[in-house]
Amino acid sequence: DSKEDHELSEKKFVIVTDTNADFPEEYLKNHGLGRLCLSFSVNGKTFCADKDVIDEHAFYDQMRAGADVKTMQVNPEQAKSYFEQYLKDGIEVLYLAFSSGLSGSYNSALIAADELKESYPDLRVVVVDTLCASLGQGLLTHYAVTMKESGKSLDEIVSWVEENKLHLCHMFTVDDLNHLYRGGRVSKTTAVLGTVLNIKPLLHVDDAGKLIPLGKVRGRKQSLIGLVNMMEERIGSYHNEVFFISHGDCLEDAKFVAAEVQKRFGIQKHLIHFVGPTIGAHSGPGTVALFFLGEKR
């Protein structure tokens, strides 16, 4: 029995996430990280990050100009053919999926994994619902990748991810509430009043992996400082070596938040990148999101 257990643990595996983790391309390349693509369309033309070069700045400019943007979840067939390319080579798959509270992609991947069991009974496709989004999903994946690079097994990584995913805090603010209203995330009254009064919401991703408003402040700068205040309330005894920030084409604001975090907590290491189009379509230009490990979400 122990010999079989040993052989199980020796199988090669790959970590896969999806486009909604919002990693820069070079991160994927440097760490051999796989990525399932969630497509999006702008004015009827469809794009997929794995086939097309995505210019996020241009995407947000089109949004600002009122483009019709739609997003698609991963379907089971797409997930199946993506996972199978690894299984064919005898490599197991750990897929860290975008929150089931925000998309059906996780369920599509489960269906795919189940179907693949028949053809590859000895190889696992482990699908984890991260309950995370954007670089929150990215940061959780980064910890998984770091563990893999330090020699941890697939099972050790899965148990760490399951134990820690609800400690992955997502604090964010948006510049224009109308995008969230269109996506059904806030009421029309909230959107209209917010716009008139220059009220900026502070939101987070809750334990069910859904977007929830937490509070509101007057004015943009206060909302950015508010993200760091929320970090202070949540971080508790957690020691973060790195924090991630994603933004809807407002790099200066993201840098402002990074500098505040560095000043207040002394955490220097960080990654800043765009909120990609599949999430950006709902949050809009001017979104700033801060991710770290804390006592509670």
Side-chain angles (χ1 to χ4, degrees), residues 23-291:
F23 275 117
E25 293 291 330
E26 63 268 25
Y27 186 98
L28 303 173
K29 287 194 191 80
N30 293 345
H31 297 279
L33 179 62
R35 176 179 65 185
L36 254 175
C37 187
L38 281 80
S39 316
F40 64 97
S41 70
V42 180
N43 297 330
K45 185 173 186 239
T46 302
F47 298 90
C48 164
D50 292 352
K51 292 193 282 289
D52 306 298
V53 175
I54 307 298
D55 178 340
E56 287 96 344
H57 177 64
F59 168 80
Y60 282 109
D61 272 349
Q62 288 172 298
M63 267 196 94
R64 289 180 187 105
D68 176 34
V69 182
K70 292 190 170 62
T71 61
M72 296 69 140
Q73 62 189 41
V74 168
N75 65 49
E77 278 310 302
Q78 182 196 350
K80 190 176 172 181
S81 71
Y82 189 85
F83 297 152
E84 191 162 20
Q85 61 180 356
Y86 294 108
L87 299 178
K88 273 187 197 140
D89 293 335
I91 297 168
E92 297 193 308
V93 176
L94 167 56
Y95 172 48
L96 301 176
F98 181 50
S99 173
S100 64
L102 297 168
S103 166
S105 298
Y106 164 70
N107 281 327
S108 294
L110 280 183
I111 294 166
D114 202 47
E115 287 179 5
L116 286 163
K117 267 191 198 132
E118 291 169 30
S119 328
Y120 302 91
D122 300 335
L123 294 169
R124 293 181 298 168
V125 174
V126 181
V127 178
V128 173
D129 180 2
T130 64
L131 298 170
C132 292
S134 187
L135 275 174
Q137 182 183 344
L139 185 52
L140 193 70
T141 302
H142 169 69
Y143 281 112
V145 165
T146 306
M147 288 177 76
K148 181 178 190 285
E149 288 171 354
S150 74
K152 297 277 189 267
S153 71
L154 192 153
D155 292 302
E156 285 172 311
I157 295 171
V158 169
S159 61
W160 187 91
V161 167
E162 290 292 1
E163 277 163 35
N164 289 279
K165 65 188 186 185
L166 293 183
H167 291 289
L168 206 305
C169 304
H170 300 54
M171 305 291 130
F172 73 104
T173 187
V174 298
D175 202 31
D176 177 355
L177 281 160
N178 289 302
H179 299 291
L180 285 177
Y181 161 63
R182 279 197 288 275
R185 307 284 179 210
V186 297
S187 70
K188 184 159 179 93
T189 320
T190 304
V192 171
L193 279 177
T195 307
V196 174
L197 302 171
N198 194 23
I199 297 288
K200 304 296 177 191
L202 295 168
L203 306 99
H204 80 141
V205 173
D206 70 1
D207 285 355
K210 294 183 182 330
L211 306 184
I212 306 291
L214 282 180
K216 37 191 184 294
V217 291
R218 182 68 61 86
R220 176 68 166 178
K221 189 163 186 200
Q222 284 312 114
S223 71
L224 299 176
I225 291 167
L227 298 176
V228 189
N229 292 343
M230 293 199 298
M231 180 171 180
E232 195 156 296
E233 285 164 20
R234 283 170 171 72
I235 196 165
S237 62
Y238 272 72
H239 175 66
N240 285 259
E241 280 164 23
V242 60
F243 63 94
F244 281 10
I245 294 177
S246 58
H247 66 94
D249 199 26
C250 50
L251 181 59
E252 290 314 308
D253 289 343
K255 286 179 173 169
F256 172 81
V257 173
E260 283 291 309
V261 171
Q262 289 171 323
K263 203 160 60 191
R264 219 183 285 188
F265 306 100
I267 312 162
Q268 295 307 318
K269 218 174 136 191
H270 63 286
L271 171 70
I272 296 178
H273 195 56
F274 285 98
V275 175
T278 20
I279 294 177
H282 304 285
S283 55
T287 301
V288 179
L290 170 61
F291 310 99

